[in-house]
Amino acid sequence: MTQAPARRPAARRRHDREIAALAVPAFGALVAEPLFVMADSAIVGHLGTAQLAGLGIASALLTTAVSVFVFLAYATTAAVARRVGAGDLQAAIRQGMDGIWLALLLGAAVIAITLPTAPALVDVFGASPTAAPYATTYLRISALGIPAMLVVLASTGVLRGLQDTRTPLYVAVAGFVANAALNAGLVYGAGLGIAGSAWGTVIAQCGMAAVYLGVVVRGARRHGASLRPDAAGIRASAQAGVPLLVRTLSLRAILMIATAVAARLGDADIAAHQIILSLWTLLAFALDAIAIAGQAIIGRFLGAGDTGGAREACRRMVQWGIAVGVVLGLLVVVARPVFLPLFTADSTVKDTALPALLVVALSQPICGVVFVLDGVLMGAGDGPYLAGAMLVTLAVFVPAALLVPVFGGGLTALWGAMTLMMTIRLLTLWLRTRSGRWLVTGATR
């Protein structure tokens, strides 16, 4: 027993090195993803207001479609990491291939739905008569790249499960550079306008998917894993993804309801809300990077049958989440005077946003723990519990948010409801991790 204190600092240092090695590149890859839309917006914005408005509507639809299928990355990471922990790299890559085949099937289905319904989808988002044609054009062309986007998600999950977050970072950065260059060349050099922007993005996405497939195929050949589609494996990947799909849809519903409530509060409130939501999303990237490390590390420990290691890693990552949350909260407080003028010169909007930003800052340690525990349970393959917990959270959030305008609450009260939502998530996730029921060992759950 006397050696335990000596081992504990060494174990913490080992966990710290592993968390940092996975989380830092993962954060870089996460930040690179929204830069695609920013580059498109910067280039298309010089074509005219109608084109930019059309891009905004089409991008919102595409982002929503892809975010719904983020389970392709999460579920694949956990499943592959378990098999890595069990020492069966052949089965790990075979599992990854099942996820990639599922991504291709889902991508084909999305294309089949999107191409004929693009005008109707654009109308649902309330596009103006001048913006609608541009939105439809961009949406139809960009839809052709959705299979590649989903393959990127699944392949990223494979590499994360293999404890590799550096390759996704390199591919994301290269994809961003290629996307920007192609957009500029096709929009202005070839004179294709907004269609050129869409084609540039599709080509960049296909290039990224090809690189990922090359990496996975080389790994499959090295370890003798089959590349052929396996119906049972694809079905198992889909079944593992359904609970995470429910979780993601519930979270998207929460964000949409919050935006709808903010819109009812007034123009200044919705403008301030969009600014704060963009910051909240950026902060989430930093915390999600730790969660990604959690998915890979926990899955590996449980695959190896090491519940003690999984518990210790979970404990250390929670400490990381709290520490990063505190730092991010302090940065929000300090940067408020500089951050808001970047988005608006309207004093009313800034005055509305300031107190709400304080709520966001105070909630960051809570968010840090939530993201970490979310990643831990994903890594454990505990999707059904995560789905149920998020549905409970949604049920609590909806009345709290809808009561904000009823009782005359402003944007600060709305973000108080958002903090309540994160607190409910914290409670449900903490109860689960404390129970130990997530500690299911073996190559499969």
Side-chain angles (χ1 to χ4, degrees):
M1 295 295 291
T2 57
Q3 293 181 354
R7 288 199 303 268
R8 190 164 295 169
R12 281 201 298 266
R13 287 194 295 272
R14 185 175 67 253
H15 287 311
D16 287 345
R17 287 193 298 270
E18 189 169 28
I19 294 167
L22 291 170
V24 173
F27 174 68
L30 288 170
V31 171
E33 291 173 9
L35 293 179
F36 269 74
V37 177
M38 291 179 63
D40 289 2
S41 299
I43 293 170
V44 172
H46 292 286
L47 294 174
T49 301
Q51 288 90 333
L52 184 58
L55 172 66
I57 292 167
S59 294
L61 285 163
L62 290 165
T63 301
T64 300
V66 174
S67 66
V68 165
F69 296 114
V70 74
F71 70 84
L72 288 167
Y74 293 159
T76 304
T77 297
V80 171
R82 274 186 175 269
R83 285 163 175 77
V84 169
D88 192 347
L89 288 177
Q90 183 186 71
I93 296 175
R94 175 64 260 179
Q95 178 72 44
M97 286 303 306
D98 292 335
I100 290 172
W101 280 111
L102 176 61
L104 287 170
L105 291 173
L106 291 173
V110 172
I111 288 179
I113 293 171
T114 303
L115 290 182
T117 62
L121 291 171
V122 168
D123 286 340
V124 168
F125 268 63
S128 68
T130 53
Y134 296 113
T136 301
T137 296
Y138 190 94
L139 181 59
R140 277 181 165 156
I141 296 172
S142 294
L144 301 176
I146 286 180
M149 295 167 71
L150 299 189
V151 166
V152 167
L153 283 177
S155 301
T156 300
V158 175
L159 295 180
R160 289 173 181 171
L162 294 171
Q163 318 297 297
D164 176 10
T165 57
R166 289 182 178 272
T167 300
L169 171 61
Y170 300 148
V171 175
V173 172
F176 166 71
V177 173
N179 178 66
L182 286 166
N183 269 257
L186 293 174
V187 170
Y188 297 114
L192 296 179
I194 195 169
S197 176
W199 281 117
T201 301
V202 168
I203 294 169
Q205 289 162 347
C206 290
M208 292 170 66
V211 172
Y212 274 121
L213 287 174
V215 172
V216 174
V217 168
R218 281 198 302 272
R221 288 175 176 169
R222 186 182 308 119
H223 297 287
S226 173
L227 299 174
R228 295 179 179 178
D230 177 67
I234 294 171
R235 187 165 53 251
S237 294
Q239 289 172 347
V242 168
L244 296 181
L245 175 61
V246 172
R247 168 201 167 274
T248 300
L249 290 174
S250 299
L251 181 57
R252 295 295 300 182
I254 286 171
L255 297 178
M256 290 175 65
I257 290 168
T259 300
V261 171
R264 293 179 61 187
L265 297 176
D267 290 346
D269 293 89
I270 185 60
H273 175 75
Q274 288 303 114
I275 294 171
I276 296 171
L277 187 60
S278 66
L279 174 63
W280 192 79
T281 303
L282 179 61
L283 298 174
F285 285 144
L287 298 173
D288 201 28
I290 306 173
I292 288 169
Q295 294 170 28
I297 293 170
I298 296 299
R300 192 191 71 232
F301 272 121
L302 294 179
D306 187 355
T307 57
R311 281 189 181 276
E312 184 62 35
C314 175
R315 187 178 301 113
R316 190 57 178 162
M317 281 184 284
V318 167
Q319 293 169 355
W320 268 65
I322 294 171
V324 173
V326 169
V327 171
L328 292 177
L330 291 173
L331 286 175
V332 171
V333 173
V334 172
R336 281 184 308 155
V338 179
F339 173 74
L340 288 174
L342 294 175
F343 291 87
T344 182
D346 189 324
S347 59
T348 303
V349 174
K350 287 190 283 189
D351 290 343
T352 303
L354 277 171
L357 275 176
L358 282 177
V359 175
V360 171
L362 291 171
S363 70
Q364 287 310 295
I366 297 173
C367 294
V369 179
V370 168
F371 274 81
V372 167
L373 295 182
D374 205 38
V376 165
L377 295 182
M378 282 186 192
D382 207 10
Y385 181 84
L386 290 172
M390 188 59 79
L391 288 172
V392 169
T393 303
L394 176 62
V396 174
F397 174 77
V398 169
L402 295 180
L403 286 173
V404 168
V406 172
F407 287 99
L411 189 65
T412 302
L414 177 59
W415 277 94
M418 289 287 286
T419 302
L420 171 65
M421 177 269 293
M422 294 302 290
T423 303
I424 297 298
R425 291 187 69 190
L426 173 62
L427 178 61
T428 57
L429 296 174
W430 176 77
L431 288 173
R432 184 63 167 182
T433 52
R434 189 171 181 270
S435 73
R437 294 177 183 173
W438 56 283
L439 291 165
V440 180
T441 59
T444 59
R445 182 179 172 88

